[in-house]
Amino acid sequence: MPIDPAVAVGAELPEVKFSWTSSDVLLYHLALGASELSYVYERDLQVLPTFGVVAPRFKATEPPVVKFPGIDIDLARVLHGTQEITVHAPLPAAGEAVLRTRVADVFDKGSAAVVVQEATAVSVDGTPLYTMRSSIFARDEGGFGGSRGPSMKVELPSREPDAVLETPTLPQQAYLYRLCGDRNPLHADPEFARRAGFEAPILHGLCTYGVVCKAVVDALLDGDTARVTNYSARFTGVVFPGETLRTRVWREGGRLVLVTTAVERDDAPVLSDAVLTYT
Ligand SMILES: CCCCCCC[C@@H](O)CC(=O)SCCNC(=O)CCNC(=O)[C@H](O)C(C)(C)COP(=O)(O)OP(=O)(O)OC[C@H]1O[C@@H](n2cnc3c(N)ncnc32)[C@H](O)[C@@H]1OP(=O)(O)O
């Protein structure tokens, strides 16, 4: 059985020890399309909090494998579903840390399955750095009889957004972003993308997640990455590299509520249920 919730839920994955340098941070920012000195030059380099999400596997050169206790899923069936990061301390431009991950939940959405992971990164000196909660959406892997889980929904204010940000992506964006540790062929190989049901390779969800975080930090948080305390989003629809992202932002109760769409496809949904909290 590809998913056995009785085995999967609560399973601890092997610890990942990882380190990073300013070269990794610079490459990450470049792969998000950054060109500002504060992101692409090592003097006074600041670090987007979303780097934390990719840092543990930044040096990976093989496609991800979706195989842990009680779970064995073909990569072509898998889409990134949701991502959240809670920042405990601003990320330094270089460091060493340990990531501990567990399978927090497995939901049965009928035809699809949703696998939720929680992970905590702690610096080698013992400083908690960040916590993540993410899910993958595995098409055709449901029907194992598990709970459907909660329906997440962030209510949008009924007024006009406080800001609308347009961020272009590059035609080669996914090829660049692959160098940040996710060599899933879905983002590069047309034949694999077709097998997965797409007309062309799609952009990594985490690339979109980072691009939008940067756009919001630059436009609304004075370009200060250290102000972000939490950032969560659901990947509602795909992005094709080269498309322009439109992000509508509402200031709401001390946080920013975001919706991102693809401009060239009549504002097709990209990110929803997205919230960024800040100091
Ligand atoms: C360990 C190593 C892991 C490796 C991971 C791989 C990493 C990367 O390389 C992979 C990627 O980056 S893929 C690119 C980023 N992701 C995407 O583009 C996904 C875009 N989203 C979609 O296409 C659809 O929303 C889609 C298809 C996700 C869902 O659409 P529908 O089938 O129409 O579903 P819908 O009818 O709207 O909802 C059915 C139930 O599922 C829940 N749901 C929907 N979207 C979800 C999402 N994105 N994440 C989690 N749950 C989601 C709905 O809430 C609904 O459940 P319920 O009825 O209980 O509310």
Side-chain angles (χ1 to χ4, degrees), residues 61-85:
T61 54
E62 293 297 321
V65 176
V66 193
K67 188 168 184 177
F68 0 97
I71 292 176
D72 186 356
I73 304 173
D74 175 5
L75 187 59
R77 312 299 327 144
V78 166
L79 294 170
H80 203 140
T82 58
Q83 184 66 51
E84 176 174 12
I85 184 165

Side-chain angles (χ1 to χ4, degrees), residues 13 57 63-68 75 78-83 107-117 135-139 148-152 177 182-187 198 202-208 233-239 269-270 272-273:
L13 307 195
R57 293 184 178 80
V65 176
V66 193
K67 188 168 184 177
F68 0 97
L75 187 59
V78 166
L79 294 170
H80 203 140
T82 58
Q83 184 66 51
F107 298 126
D108 186 343
K109 297 291 186 184
S111 66
V114 171
V115 179
V116 183
Q117 293 186 20
S135 70
I136 56 171
F137 188 95
R139 294 165 296 165
R148 201 173 171 89
S151 292
M152 37 185 289
Y177 194 81
D182 183 348
R183 303 269 178 115
N184 186 345
L186 178 60
H187 310 298
F198 299 104
I202 62 172
L203 193 58
H204 303 71
L206 288 181
C207 182
T208 305
R234 178 203 290 236
F235 301 106
T236 315
V238 299
V239 174
V270 169
S272 68
D273 303 301

Side-chain angles (χ1 to χ4, degrees), residues 14-232:
E15 261 185 24
V16 178
K17 282 205 173 81
F18 63 103
S19 59
W20 67 99
T21 66
S22 61
S23 297
D24 302 323
V25 175
L26 295 169
L27 174 59
Y28 174 70
H29 290 158
L30 287 167
L32 297 183
S35 58
E36 302 83 350
L37 269 194
S38 61
Y39 292 113
V40 300
Y41 187 52
E42 52 276 17
R43 191 181 63 218
D44 300 329
L45 177 64
Q46 55 169 359
V47 184
L48 278 165
T50 47
F51 176 72
V53 178
V54 292
R57 293 184 178 80
F58 199 83
K59 295 177 179 78
T61 54
E62 293 297 321
V65 176
V66 193
K67 188 168 184 177
F68 0 97
I71 292 176
D72 186 356
I73 304 173
D74 175 5
L75 187 59
R77 312 299 327 144
V78 166
L79 294 170
H80 203 140
T82 58
Q83 184 66 51
E84 176 174 12
I85 184 165
T86 305
V87 179
H88 305 309
L91 272 183
E96 213 178 326
V98 176
L99 186 80
R100 294 189 185 87
T101 306
R102 63 186 274 275
V103 178
D105 260 314
V106 177
F107 298 126
D108 186 343
K109 297 291 186 184
S111 66
V114 171
V115 179
V116 183
Q117 293 186 20
E118 281 175 355
T120 304
V122 178
S123 166
V124 281
D125 68 8
T127 312
L129 293 175
Y130 54 90
T131 306
M132 299 183 283
R133 187 173 167 91
S134 62
S135 70
I136 56 171
F137 188 95
R139 294 165 296 165
D140 306 324
E141 296 289 350
F144 49 83
S147 142
R148 201 173 171 89
S151 292
M152 37 185 289
K153 202 82 222 133
V154 174
E155 284 305 318
L156 290 182
S158 49
R159 63 178 200 280
E160 288 296 302
D162 297 305
V164 180
L165 314 174
E166 290 204 358
T167 323
T169 65
L170 299 165
Q172 69 273 33
Q173 197 89 57
Y175 300 126
L176 279 165
Y177 194 81
R178 298 179 79 235
L179 305 179
C180 300
D182 183 348
R183 303 269 178 115
N184 186 345
L186 178 60
H187 310 298
D189 180 341
E191 184 46 49
F192 187 96
R194 265 193 297 277
R195 185 157 77 81
F198 299 104
E199 66 195 58
I202 62 172
L203 193 58
H204 303 71
L206 288 181
C207 182
T208 305
Y209 183 74
V211 167
V212 170
C213 182
K214 176 180 176 298
V216 170
V217 166
D218 291 348
L220 293 147
L221 301 182
D222 312 311
D224 184 354
T225 57
R227 292 181 64 191
V228 179
T229 54
N230 178 281
Y231 172 38
S232 61

